[in-house]
Amino acid sequence: MRPYELKVAGLYPEAQQLAISDTIHNSAIKSAIRGDIKYDFYRGVPEREFETILREISEQDYDLIIGSIFNHEDLARAVALDFRSQSYLFGSYRPTPEFLTSFSIFENYTHDASYLAGIIASGLSETKVLGVFGTLYSLNSYRNLNAFTQGAKEVNSQINILVELIDGAIDPAIMAEKLEFQKAFGVDLIYAERVGVEKYSTENEILTIGNIHNHAKQYPDLMVSSTLWHFQPTLNVALNRLRNNDFKTENLRQYSGLKHGGCSLASLGSFINRVPPDVIEKAARRINEIKNENYEVATVELLPVTELGQ
């Protein structure tokens, strides 16, 4: 065993968003392939068995337990109280109490990429009417949609943006109605920030920018790009702190930002030829400015609303 190899366990409840779990899991696999960690994982864990399995894993000799606990916020922290020497790194929207000293959290804090998507979408749209689909009651989704709007309006202050927020599971019939309405209003490009919407928007032959994963291979003629989340920088920070005996309770969400390589905008492929050169140049300039800390995308967690140009 290499001297710096750490033992990591991944715990992924069945009800968690598959795209988020896949991103965490795939990053851990890459670390294991490099020889940085020894990785065991538990996927599709039934909700009723979450506590039992988390306790069983915590009793074993793992250096770090990773995953997401969006449906088990209190329960996971209650288990951690009984295993205070165990280090945890979980996707979570809640701050961790100070008395839990080894319970770090993260979010897919990717609004930098959403901002860039707004720039591209505004430049690509011919009707100057964009649609966005997010998740109701999700501050992460609100951040992304507001950043998308910020980017779009920097290119065209009169751009129209129609906002749809989904509460709960996606209903195909309701989705069809919403897309029909947006098409009737003139929407010619949709930001499917809510994962799963891209399936329906592309079926309706609407240009789409996806989220978290790159869907270009599935929908090559209609998927303009995707806002990608990269968990590897967050995981690397956690592993380095474990090696240095410096792991502690903190929110590592900043490592999902563009500056740290935690998010990006997927290649535009052939669509790059349809975006005005000055818009491409603006996006490239903003990427460099964000990476060099010369520009910061606004973090706005207010409810996004439909905006109609004058």
Side-chain angles (χ1 to χ4, degrees):
M1 180 182 295
R2 299 168 74 174
Y4 52 82
E5 187 178 51
L6 299 169
K7 291 180 63 178
V8 177
L11 176 60
Y12 309 104
E14 60 183 357
Q16 297 299 315
Q17 289 189 36
L18 184 59
I20 293 176
S21 294
D22 280 350
T23 301
I24 300 169
H25 177 61
N26 291 337
S27 294
I29 288 177
K30 289 179 182 178
S31 292
I33 291 173
R34 288 201 306 262
D36 292 347
I37 64 174
K38 180 179 179 182
Y39 178 54
D40 298 323
F41 55 90
Y42 305 78
R43 303 196 73 185
V45 174
E47 298 298 299
R48 64 183 180 278
E49 297 179 15
F50 175 84
E51 179 180 4
T52 299
I53 294 179
L54 179 56
R55 287 187 178 277
E56 290 176 354
I57 297 173
S58 298
E59 290 172 350
Q60 300 179 45
D61 189 27
Y62 286 107
D63 296 293
L64 181 67
I65 299 174
I66 63 175
S68 57
I69 56 170
F70 299 112
N71 292 345
H72 303 282
E73 299 274 7
D74 294 332
L75 189 57
R77 288 168 174 80
V79 172
L81 274 174
D82 295 333
F83 299 93
R84 299 198 185 200
S85 63
Q86 173 64 59
S87 296
Y88 301 92
L89 176 62
F90 284 135
S92 169
Y93 294 138
R94 295 187 191 174
T96 299
E98 293 182 359
F99 52 78
L100 286 176
T101 57
S102 297
F103 195 100
S104 282
I105 61 173
F106 62 87
E107 302 172 43
N108 50 329
Y109 199 64
T110 57
H111 56 295
D112 289 340
S114 298
Y115 164 79
L116 296 173
I119 291 176
I120 297 300
S122 190
L124 184 58
S125 174
E126 295 181 355
T127 62
K128 304 308 175 187
V129 186
L130 304 174
V132 296
F133 282 78
T135 301
L136 191 62
Y137 309 123
S138 168
L139 295 183
N140 179 64
S141 186
Y142 293 179
R143 281 196 304 268
N144 290 340
L145 297 188
N146 286 318
F148 178 89
T149 297
Q150 178 187 342
K153 285 188 170 296
E154 284 190 9
V155 173
N156 180 358
S157 62
Q158 301 303 309
I159 196 82
N160 297 281
I161 300 178
L162 275 62
V163 176
E164 292 285 357
L165 298 174
I166 300 171
D167 183 12
I170 295 176
D171 184 307
I174 294 177
M175 182 58 60
E177 292 179 1
K178 291 182 180 296
L179 288 170
E180 190 63 34
F181 169 78
Q182 292 214 349
K183 288 175 67 175
F185 203 88
V187 167
D188 65 350
L189 191 151
I190 282 176
Y191 177 32
E193 194 276 341
R194 170 61 183 264
V195 175
V197 170
E198 72 283 344
K199 174 180 183 296
Y200 299 95
S201 58
T202 52
E203 285 178 355
N204 280 267
E205 298 186 344
I206 304 174
L207 294 180
T208 301
I209 294 177
N211 188 32
I212 298 185
H213 290 331
N214 191 347
H215 305 279
K217 290 183 179 180
Q218 294 171 270
Y219 316 105
D221 298 327
L222 294 166
M223 187 61 62
V224 175
S225 182
S226 291
T227 48
L228 306 179
W229 175 44
H230 311 295
F231 180 65
Q232 199 71 54
T234 303
L235 180 58
N236 290 345
V237 168
L239 296 177
N240 287 334
R241 290 184 179 170
L242 282 167
R243 295 187 187 100
N244 295 326
N245 296 315
D246 190 32
F247 190 90
K248 59 186 178 182
T249 292
E250 60 183 321
N251 191 337
L252 299 178
R253 70 179 188 174
Q254 70 267 29
Y255 296 102
S256 290
L258 180 66
K259 181 177 70 172
H260 298 284
C263 68
S264 65
L265 188 64
S267 169
L268 299 177
S270 62
F271 285 98
I272 195 169
N273 298 318
R274 297 169 57 177
V275 182
D278 62 315
V279 174
I280 296 294
E281 291 173 6
K282 178 180 179 62
R285 184 171 65 253
R286 284 299 195 216
I287 290 173
N288 288 329
E289 290 172 345
I290 293 170
K291 288 183 176 180
N292 294 320
E293 300 185 4
N294 294 321
Y295 184 83
E296 183 175 354
V297 178
T299 303
V300 181
E301 297 180 338
L302 300 175
L303 182 75
V305 296
T306 291
E307 298 197 22
L308 303 179
Q310 300 298 320

